[in-house]
Amino acid sequence: QVRLVESGGGSVQAGGSLRLSCAASRYILGCMGWFRQAPGKEREGVAGIYTGGGATYYADSVKGRFTISRDNAKTTVYLQMNSLKPEDTAMYYCATIRVDYRYQCGDWYRYDSWGQGTQVTVSS
């Protein structure tokens, strides 16, 4: 059983930045990732990272603006969000999945453990 706790959400102006954090209760050899869901929209994968080596994967909509990273203990991941747009407004969730191959961290359907989410609101 792995617990995930997100933090760092808030309200910012368009063009601003936020950094989200996800703390896991233990190390997982596999993936940690970020998803988001806006009202009336399906949940979508945003970014993933392989804890065994640091390989990263991004949705096309956030490439060049968002960066996922990990701490030295590999139990906390961050999502640095720059150049935020109103369409980035959503509840952001941290998720994990145990895998042995890094490419699987970009297969969003695989993630099976979820945090409670943190709200990100970007105003015009």
Side-chain angles (χ1 to χ4, degrees):
Q1 297 180 346
V2 178
R3 298 188 304 276
L4 302 171
V5 180
E6 303 98 330
S7 62
S11 298
V12 297
Q13 296 278 323
S17 298
L18 284 172
R19 190 178 79 155
L20 307 183
S21 298
C22 173
S25 59
R26 61 176 293 273
Y27 171 74
I28 309 103
L29 176 59
C31 317
M32 297 184 71
W34 289 95
F35 292 71
R36 66 187 183 186
Q37 187 169 25
K41 301 289 187 179
E42 294 184 350
R43 185 167 58 192
E44 62 176 342
V46 174
I49 188 167
Y50 182 59
T51 64
T56 57
Y57 304 86
Y58 296 94
D60 288 341
S61 60
V62 306
K63 285 181 179 177
R65 299 189 298 122
F66 291 9
T67 303
I68 189 169
S69 61
R70 60 180 180 173
D71 69 352
N72 291 335
K74 304 176 183 179
T75 53
T76 301
V77 295
Y78 306 94
L79 187 67
Q80 179 66 47
M81 304 185 294
N82 298 328
S83 302
L84 283 162
K85 305 173 181 179
E87 51 262 46
D88 295 318
T89 295
M91 184 72 74
Y92 282 71
Y93 298 91
C94 184
T96 64
I97 182 65
R98 299 181 191 273
V99 300
D100 293 322
Y101 302 101
R102 64 183 184 183
Y103 76 88
Q104 295 173 313
C105 297
D107 296 337
W108 310 123
Y109 70 90
R110 297 184 183 273
Y111 291 80
D112 64 3
S113 297
W114 302 87
Q116 295 300 305
T118 185
Q119 178 68 39
V120 172
T121 302
V122 184
S123 60
S124 301

